[in-house]
Amino acid sequence: MSASSNLVPIGAIRQPVHGRHHILSVLVENKAGVLARVALLFSRRGFNIYSLAVAPTDDERFSRITMVVDVETAPLEQITKQLHKLINVLKITELDPSDAVEVESMLVTIVAEGGSRSRALELAELFRGQVLDVNAERLTLMFALAPSALDDVEALLGEFGIVEVQRSGRIALARLPKPVRRVARRGKVS
Amino acid sequence: MRLTGAQALVRALEMEGVDVVFGLPGGAILPVYDPLLDSPIRHVLVRHEQGAGHMAEGYAQASGRPGVAIVTSGPAATNIVTAVADAAIDSVPMVVITGQVPTGAIGSDAFQEVDTTGITMSVTKHNWLVTDPADIPRVVAEAFHVATTGRPGPVLIDLPKDVSTGELEWYWPRRLDLPGYQPVTKGHPKMIEQAAALITAARRPVIYAGGGLVRAGAERELRALAERTGIPVVTTLLARGIIPDDHPLALGMPGMHGTYAAVMAMQRADLLITLGARFDDRVTGRVSAFAPEAKVIHVDVDPAELGKVRRADVPIVGDLRNVLPELLRRLPAEPADLGAWRATIAEWQQRYPLSYVPSEPGSATKPQFVVERLRALTPDDTILVAGVGQHQMWASQFWTFRAPRQWINSGGLGTMGFAVPAAVGAKAARPRQMVWAIDGDGSFQMTAQEIVTASAERIPIKVAILNNGYLGMVRQWQEMFYDERYSEVYLSPDLPDYVRWAEAMGAVGMRVDAPEEVDAAIEKANEVDDRPVVIDFRVDTFEKVYPMVPAGASNDDIVLPPHLVGDGR
Ligand SMILES: Cc1ncc(C[n+]2csc(CCOP(=O)(O)OP(=O)(O)O)c2C)c(N)n1
């Protein structure tokens, strides 16, 4: 397969629809089948899980599932209640995107030959990327960034020709409480 | 003590106090059937695994204890799925044990392999695939705990053959470690306070009593609340009997085929005290037009029910047996005067009672008449089971219920074929009570082979088939909403010959062609105590269930029977 047939269009949009973007952090027992039970509650209603990351917590009996879902608020409330009913689910926290720190990582292989290689490395450095693999024609880079910054990197790397890209899905934690109350900005952004 | 997994399973069932299991053996579950021979647990051998599931449901609903079914893998597991789904939607505690192919073969499309836990994930409260014999006692203890606590429901244990033949050191768990499962039982005091305030302020309150009250065993608490406040009670299809139908505060069933008084009381109410009910679409009609002026108190043990369909002004999560006494404690000694409201309701009851036009001399028996005569001629504590269709609605409408756990039917799933096996299960649980099933000819044909089980196991149930020769409820919809275009609803009253079929299955078979024969047949059936009885009641084919709120319509558009509105039709 030629490299060009795998090109991702520049500016591929990886952000969920604004206003329907919910981050759920679900603490579950680390047991077989738990992910299927969680996923089933979304799929049976035809809702899409936008991204998903699962890994054991510091206590290996439990895992944390971080999921970004693309659902209106009302049905989401019903789904979280249903999630709570799962015997293996201990805790569900909905993180407000404006009140959470979110990170997503990406592995990307790009075409980087001759003159383009140094420009690619420059770009990687700018976004604190690392080179994980290299050969004469290609580079594999790794980034861990806020999801929107990751979108920017991906778009910019598109110019070089993306051979393959793999994103992890986001992980998130609530922001730490701050001594001063931040004023919530409301209303439309014009 | 070393035991095989199968021995441990049977022993664990004994530890849980199981006295009867319903099932049918096969390859993957064979190891379990061997130690069953040495156990005091009674096994009822069914003729189809769906029957085992409904029997377990009938057993559970009649006794309040979890029903248990044991079946093999593959087709047996898929056969029981309908009953598991039925138990899930009606919150029936049930433990199903399925055999599975050996762990090493799972996922290889082995003989009689299906992904049972995957298939039943969305219709069980929880399920387990056991992969280590040492887990068996713990899993059984967890399964019974989950099935019977919080909102009850079915659970399933999938047991691979090598796990039941493998060995373990026997133990019985002293405590369960289910960190994600902590059902709330006590209602929030502040919320209960607010509920009491709403009740005190209400002038047109209605208690909307649901199946959760039956599952919680809260009939005394409910009655105390109703009598103390003088608030009338509607009982949903699953809650029939939670307050006696002849109680002055009882309004009967609400919803699509509810009484006029129950439907209108909810529509005009200023407060719905919703107890273990879930605003099912068969109760609310069009939700946006349902009980428009009512504030809502909603008490349920399942938090997911609160606000699911109708916003609750006062949501309370908790066990009704805890919440209701707390609520009662906070109500003033002197109840509000509901005289005007009660008078309005009494007028509705008087003007539009449940009624039917008795048959003319020489013409076909009315199905409602059969239900009335059955009630009149059977002991007070008779357990009534129903199939699904018109006959089910007539049973609910025209039987006078006097206590909970004496009415068993498939509400949420509406499973035709439920009646015969559920009646067998109920009778196995309550051998001294008379058990009658009112079934439709269509429903009966779906699981009639379980009459064979009843004969062989000497479980003498009685079945009244209201034989109208049609899939009657569907026929009614085609008559009313599809311009009388009858598509695939005719069954024939004579094919099969129910009397000969009953006799072939070891039961007494009778046929009743005319209203005058009804009483004698029922009395004769009541005398039979050593085998099942099936009576083929030939009933009026054209009878419809009234009142009726057409699907998707507002409850305000309730359709009354023609003889009450006098439009001459
Ligand atoms: C398993 C199943 N299949 C189909 C239906 C749809 N359905 C609901 S009522 C009904 C007719 C039932 O006929 P019958 O048992 O003869 O009772 P009747 O309405 O005549 O009293 C049908 C087909 C159902 N509820 N369950």
Side-chain angles (χ1 to χ4, degrees):
Chain A
M1 212 190 289
S2 75
S4 62
S5 71
N6 281 333
L7 286 185
V8 171
I10 290 180
I13 294 181
R14 299 295 184 98
Q15 297 291 328
V17 179
H18 180 73
R20 310 203 330 174
H21 164 187
H22 297 271
I23 313 167
L24 296 181
S25 172
V26 187
L27 186 67
V28 299
E29 284 187 272
N30 186 1
K31 286 191 171 160
V34 175
L35 185 59
R37 289 176 203 280
V38 170
L40 189 65
L41 287 178
F42 289 86
S43 65
R44 97 181 252 200
R45 303 183 129 215
F47 294 147
N48 192 19
I49 296 174
Y50 187 80
S51 90
L52 182 77
V54 198
T57 63
D58 53 329
D59 182 339
E60 66 181 19
R61 289 176 301 157
F62 306 115
S63 288
R64 188 178 298 284
I65 302 178
T66 309
M67 50 205 305
V68 177
V69 289
D70 198 357
V71 179
E72 303 282 359
T73 303
L76 183 69
E77 203 179 298
Q78 181 53 215
I79 293 182
T80 41
K81 284 179 171 176
Q82 298 290 346
L83 275 175
H84 265 298
K85 285 171 67 170
L86 294 178
I87 308 298
N88 304 125
V89 170
L90 281 86
K91 196 170 173 223
I92 303 165
T93 324
E94 191 188 340
L95 300 172
D96 180 344
S98 64
D99 236 346
V101 285
E102 290 182 83
V103 171
E104 187 171 359
S105 51
M106 172 169 77
L107 289 176
V108 57
T109 300
I110 56 168
V111 180
E113 295 169 295
S116 74
R117 171 156 301 198
S118 59
R119 281 195 293 117
L121 289 170
E122 215 170 279
L123 189 68
E125 199 180 347
L126 202 61
F127 285 95
R128 281 168 285 128
Q130 287 177 38
V131 180
L132 292 192
D133 200 7
V134 59
N135 72 8
E137 298 90 30
R138 292 171 182 189
L139 274 180
T140 296
L141 305 170
M142 190 273 274
F143 298 87
L145 294 166
S148 60
L150 209 58
D151 287 349
D152 295 344
V153 179
E154 195 181 330
L156 290 165
L157 290 174
E159 285 179 40
F160 297 87
I162 292 179
V163 181
E164 233 179 332
V165 61
Q166 177 64 54
R167 289 173 65 152
S168 66
R170 21 185 118 185
I171 53 174
L173 286 176
R175 279 188 194 280
L176 300 174
K178 298 296 182 320
V180 192
R181 258 190 75 196
R182 287 176 302 146
V183 183
R185 270 174 294 160
R186 285 177 194 279
K188 263 194 209 149
V189 179
S190 50
Chain B
M1 182 177 42
R2 295 299 282 180
L3 293 184
T4 64
Q7 288 168 332
L9 175 80
V10 172
R11 199 180 164 104
L13 295 178
E14 290 168 6
M15 295 296 287
E16 290 292 349
V18 174
D19 58 351
V20 189
V21 298
F22 306 92
L24 192 152
I29 199 73
L30 261 173
V32 171
Y33 270 77
D34 187 72
L36 258 185
L37 275 179
D38 307 319
S39 170
I41 295 175
R42 175 184 187 187
H43 181 276
V44 172
L45 177 62
V46 300
R47 272 28 180 196
H48 184 289
E49 291 86 355
Q50 182 187 355
H54 293 319
M55 285 179 201
E57 288 186 88
Y59 176 96
Q61 295 203 49
S63 69
R65 297 196 304 272
V68 182
I70 303 183
V71 302
T72 191
S73 64
T78 53
N79 272 350
I80 206 168
V81 169
T82 300
V84 174
D86 191 275
I89 197 162
D90 282 352
S91 311
V92 180
M94 165 154 108
V95 178
V96 176
I97 293 148
T98 48
Q100 182 56 279
V101 302
T103 44
I106 291 178
S108 71
D109 292 338
F111 178 62
Q112 295 194 326
E113 183 194 355
V114 295
D115 172 14
T116 305
T117 49
I119 288 171
T120 58
M121 207 170 261
S122 61
V123 290
T124 49
K125 193 168 163 188
H126 193 64
N127 59 20
W128 290 259
L129 171 66
V130 186
T131 53
D132 182 347
D135 290 339
I136 289 175
R138 172 181 64 78
V139 167
V140 172
E142 288 178 1
F144 277 81
H145 178 67
V146 170
T148 53
T149 52
R151 179 178 184 169
V155 298
L156 183 143
I157 301 172
D158 201 23
L159 198 63
K161 194 169 186 179
D162 58 323
V163 175
S164 49
T165 54
E167 288 196 351
L168 68 148
E169 189 59 32
W170 169 258
Y171 65 96
W172 187 242
R174 250 172 296 154
R175 47 177 292 280
L176 301 178
D177 181 29
L178 293 165
Y181 181 69
Q182 272 132 9
V184 177
T185 54
K186 291 216 163 44
H188 197 292
K190 218 184 197 153
M191 289 295 172
I192 297 177
E193 199 83 52
Q194 287 180 23
L198 281 189
I199 291 173
T200 312
R203 289 298 165 266
R204 299 189 311 279
V206 172
I207 295 175
Y208 167 21
L213 284 162
V214 181
R215 298 290 178 267
E219 60 265 28
R220 261 192 229 107
E221 291 79 358
L222 167 76
R223 206 161 153 171
L225 175 69
E227 287 174 355
R228 168 83 166 280
T229 56
I231 299 176
V233 183
V234 303
T235 46
T236 67
L237 182 63
L238 285 187
R240 306 284 294 121
I242 194 74
I243 188 165
D245 279 331
D246 36 25
H247 192 285
L249 291 169
L251 303 186
M253 180 169 74
M256 181 175 273
H257 294 298
T259 66
Y260 185 84
V263 172
M264 291 321 283
M266 290 179 101
Q267 283 305 93
R268 302 285 171 264
D270 66 355
L271 177 67
L272 290 180
I273 305 162
T274 309
L275 308 175
R278 57 185 180 85
F279 296 92
D280 183 81
D281 53 89
R282 286 298 190 259
V283 167
T284 61
R286 191 175 353 113
V287 175
S288 58
F290 173 67
E293 288 149 42
K295 290 210 161 93
V296 171
I297 297 168
H298 195 171
V299 189
D300 205 291
V301 74
D302 179 358
E305 287 303 337
L306 306 179
K308 184 181 80 175
V309 175
R310 171 77 177 241
R311 197 187 75 84
D313 299 273
V314 180
I316 301 174
V317 183
D319 186 329
L320 286 152
R321 270 179 83 166
N322 288 330
V323 173
L324 291 185
E326 286 300 309
L327 180 58
L328 214 54
R329 237 166 32 84
R330 287 172 171 81
L331 288 173
E334 271 300 304
D337 176 17
L338 302 178
W341 176 229
R342 296 267 298 278
T344 307
I345 291 173
E347 199 190 312
W348 287 330
Q349 286 177 302
Q350 220 169 25
R351 268 187 46 201
Y352 303 116
L354 284 174
S355 61
Y356 61 96
V357 182
S359 47
E360 306 279 327
S363 64
T365 309
K366 290 295 173 104
Q368 302 94 326
F369 175 73
V370 177
V371 178
E372 285 179 340
R373 295 315 299 157
L374 270 170
R375 171 72 293 191
L377 297 173
T378 53
D380 230 22
D381 67 349
T382 299
I383 295 175
L384 182 67
V385 186
V388 170
Q390 293 179 309
H391 63 281
Q392 174 191 25
M393 293 298 113
W394 288 318
S396 175
Q397 291 176 334
F398 288 93
W399 190 269
T400 308
F401 293 94
R402 301 211 168 87
R405 304 199 184 293
Q406 293 175 9
W407 166 240
I408 298 172
N409 81 127
S410 168
L413 203 63
T415 308
M416 289 172 69
F418 178 84
V420 168
V424 172
K427 183 74 181 169
R430 290 272 176 264
R432 280 190 291 278
Q433 272 165 262
M434 194 179 276
V435 177
W436 269 95
I438 291 182
D439 215 352
D441 45 324
S443 294
F444 181 78
Q445 289 186 57
M446 289 205 175
T447 52
Q449 77 282 350
E450 300 310 334
I451 297 281
V452 180
T453 305
S455 299
E457 300 274 349
R458 304 233 170 262
I459 301 174
I461 61 163
K462 306 180 199 310
V463 183
I465 303 173
L466 302 187
N467 181 359
N468 54 11
Y470 276 95
L471 296 168
M473 186 57 97
V474 183
R475 183 199 173 283
Q476 173 168 346
W477 285 51
Q478 290 178 348
E479 180 180 336
M480 294 173 77
F481 311 118
Y482 290 85
D483 296 331
E484 301 180 41
R485 283 163 55 84
Y486 299 117
S487 175
E488 302 299 328
V489 285
Y490 181 65
L491 296 177
S492 160
D494 300 307
L495 186 67
D497 178 329
Y498 292 95
V499 173
R500 285 169 60 202
W501 193 12
E503 285 167 355
M505 292 190 288
V508 174
M510 285 185 254
R511 180 173 145 180
V512 172
D513 289 296
E516 315 80 72
E517 301 164 12
V518 168
D519 280 20
I522 294 170
E523 275 159 1
K524 193 168 154 210
N526 286 345
E527 310 269 279
V528 178
D529 205 30
D530 61 342
R531 69 195 66 199
V533 184
V534 177
I535 309 181
D536 171 8
F537 288 100
R538 297 299 171 93
V539 298
D540 191 341
T541 301
F542 302 105
E543 198 63 23
K544 292 198 283 289
V545 183
Y546 285 115
M548 178 170 194
V549 179
S554 159
N555 281 353
D556 288 330
D557 300 330
I558 184 169
V559 180
L560 288 160
H563 68 270
L564 283 187
V565 287
D567 68 354
R569 270 207 296 149

